[in-house]
Amino acid sequence: ANIAQKSPMEITKMFEEISGSKALTEDYLKAEEACQAAEDEVMRTYNMKKSVAKEKKQVQEQKQEAEQFQEMQEELMDKKGEFYLWQLFHAEKDLKRNASESEEVRENLSNLK
């Protein structure tokens, strides 16, 4: 058969036979498959690394939030302590003033008798 009458596919097959590349087809397909498997592994590893980095960032943020919460809790306890001392101071001051006023009233009553 004349080359001009052959389809592009038939011409390709003929060139592969003449050049000897047909014998390498199986090796080529294996190498292509190995290359695809390697690319898949690289992508899997990349995605895993990205996921680990994201988790690490989340853990660091949670740790920071917990530390801030603890600091705020301690500050709240300090403020409450100060407030209770302030209340106690003023209660004691009121108590002394009332005792003084009460003594004054008693003295006035005894002077009236």
Side-chain angles (χ1 to χ4, degrees):
N2 187 344
I3 291 181
Q5 295 174 343
K6 293 189 182 223
S7 72
M9 194 68 143
E10 290 173 325
I11 294 172
T12 302
K13 284 184 183 180
M14 185 179 78
F15 279 122
E16 286 177 352
E17 286 176 17
I18 293 170
S19 68
S21 64
K22 186 173 184 169
L24 300 175
T25 302
E26 190 175 320
D27 290 340
Y28 173 78
L29 292 174
K30 285 181 184 177
E32 187 177 41
E33 195 175 292
C35 183
Q36 184 61 47
E39 286 178 10
D40 292 346
E41 181 63 21
V42 166
M43 283 305 296
R44 188 184 70 74
T45 302
Y46 171 75
N47 288 334
M48 185 184 301
K49 182 179 176 183
K50 206 163 111 175
S51 176
V52 167
K54 185 178 178 182
E55 283 183 42
K56 182 179 176 183
K57 183 179 177 185
Q58 286 177 331
V59 167
Q60 287 173 338
E61 288 173 354
Q62 289 173 348
K63 180 183 176 199
Q64 187 178 14
E65 284 180 18
E67 289 171 351
Q68 286 176 338
F69 179 77
Q70 185 63 35
E71 288 173 13
M72 291 172 80
Q73 284 289 97
E74 290 171 7
E75 185 178 344
L76 176 64
M77 294 309 254
D78 289 345
K79 296 295 180 192
K80 280 185 176 180
E82 288 177 27
F83 176 67
Y84 294 142
L85 286 174
W86 179 85
Q87 283 184 321
L88 187 61
F89 170 78
H90 284 283
E92 186 178 358
K93 187 176 170 183
D94 289 344
L95 187 63
K96 286 179 182 177
R97 187 187 73 228
N98 289 341
S100 173
E101 288 174 1
S102 179
E103 184 59 36
E104 229 178 88
V105 168
R106 276 194 209 114
E107 284 177 15
N108 288 338
L109 281 176
S110 70
N111 288 341
L112 290 175
K113 291 184 183 179

